[in-house]
Amino acid sequence: MSAVREDFREILSLVRPGARVLDVGCEDGALLELLTRDKGVDGQGLEISPEGVAACLARGLAVVQGDGDRDLDHFPTRAFDYAILSKTLQQMREPRHVLSELLRIAEQAVVSVPNFGHWKVRWALLSRGRMPETGALPEPWWSTPNIHLCTLRDFTTLCDDLGLRIDACMSLADGKPARSIDPRQPIENWRAETALFLLSRKTEAGVVAPAKSDLFG
């Protein structure tokens, strides 16, 4: 386990064995493969790049090519136990819609986001007056895929607006082991470089799950 990325290690700890998992923006399938091997999940991936799809198929994973901004709408309600979106929400054109859809198609969502309120980001803006480049935000402003950056306060406010419950939250920073946090505490908006959330709906009243269909053939 020593070579496993820290965020992957935390996601692995959150997902129960044998669960139905959709990994949105699964890239080369490294996380999905880990979950399949160590937790025996029924894992499926959604990836926009042909290269990522090919890499997943080479690993023997179930994957389809698709755009998380548009294609989540086609998944049935409660088709999965978990929907995972790792460091991708800030790259979506409609992050509010995507987050809402994750909690429609799955009972819980695992979402990680870089925190634009981290002290290194604030210091870069204050001291140099330039867009920051940090471990969580390594690309310069003119080539970054990130189009909707947020702080922890922004994210928790969005969760409230959508009626989502934060079941757990972990802070990741400077390559150190993850630690459990209350993301609503102002100090964590300074300290967390990346935050990993386990989310669910606050109420399930009136939700009826249709029969699961096989979207992956």
Side-chain angles (χ1 to χ4, degrees):
M1 290 286 288
S2 59
V4 176
R5 274 174 40 180
E6 187 62 30
D7 56 333
F8 284 7
R9 191 193 306 273
E10 292 306 309
I11 293 172
L12 190 67
S13 72
L14 291 172
V15 173
R16 65 178 180 268
R20 298 166 298 159
V21 174
L22 176 67
D23 188 359
V24 181
C26 60
E27 298 184 327
D28 64 0
L31 174 59
L32 199 54
E33 184 180 56
L34 180 67
L35 288 166
T36 301
R37 185 189 70 214
D38 288 13
K39 285 297 184 77
V41 305
D42 177 8
Q44 301 173 351
L46 181 69
E47 171 57 32
I48 194 169
S49 73
E51 297 80 10
V53 171
C56 289
L57 293 174
R59 294 176 186 262
L61 301 170
V63 62
V64 292
Q65 187 171 2
D67 183 346
D69 265 308
R70 298 193 307 262
D71 295 328
L72 292 179
D73 295 11
H74 303 305
F75 287 84
T77 298
R78 294 298 181 266
F80 299 92
D81 300 308
Y82 300 93
I84 297 173
L85 192 66
S86 178
K87 297 182 180 179
T88 306
L89 185 66
Q90 74 280 357
Q91 299 175 16
M92 297 294 183
R93 293 184 296 276
E94 299 289 343
R96 180 187 177 94
H97 175 71
V98 169
L99 191 58
S100 181
E101 282 297 284
L102 293 180
L103 269 303
R104 179 188 64 80
I105 65 178
E107 293 180 9
Q108 291 184 290
V110 180
V111 179
S112 61
V113 292
N115 175 29
F116 206 70
H118 186 243
W119 71 266
K120 288 183 179 179
V121 173
R122 300 179 193 230
W123 177 248
L125 290 169
L126 178 65
S127 63
R128 296 190 292 122
R130 298 185 59 183
M131 287 296 288
E133 295 177 37
T134 67
L137 299 167
E139 298 290 332
W141 69 268
W142 45 264
S143 65
T144 180
N146 299 321
I147 57 176
H148 285 111
L149 291 164
C150 67
T151 68
L152 290 194
R153 183 174 295 177
D154 292 324
F155 188 85
T156 56
T157 298
L158 179 57
C159 288
D160 290 340
D161 289 346
L162 293 174
L164 305 183
R165 180 173 60 232
I166 299 173
D167 296 321
C169 182
M170 275 71 69
S171 167
L172 302 163
D174 300 319
K176 298 176 182 177
R179 59 186 180 85
S180 180
I181 65 168
D182 177 356
R184 301 183 189 280
Q185 291 295 319
I187 188 62
E188 300 300 350
N189 205 23
W190 287 77
R191 297 171 62 186
E193 190 170 23
T194 298
L196 178 69
F197 293 85
L198 178 66
L199 306 171
S200 61
R201 289 280 180 191
K202 286 183 179 177
T203 107
E204 299 295 334
V207 174
V208 178
K212 181 183 176 185
S213 62
D214 188 353
L215 302 176
F216 292 77

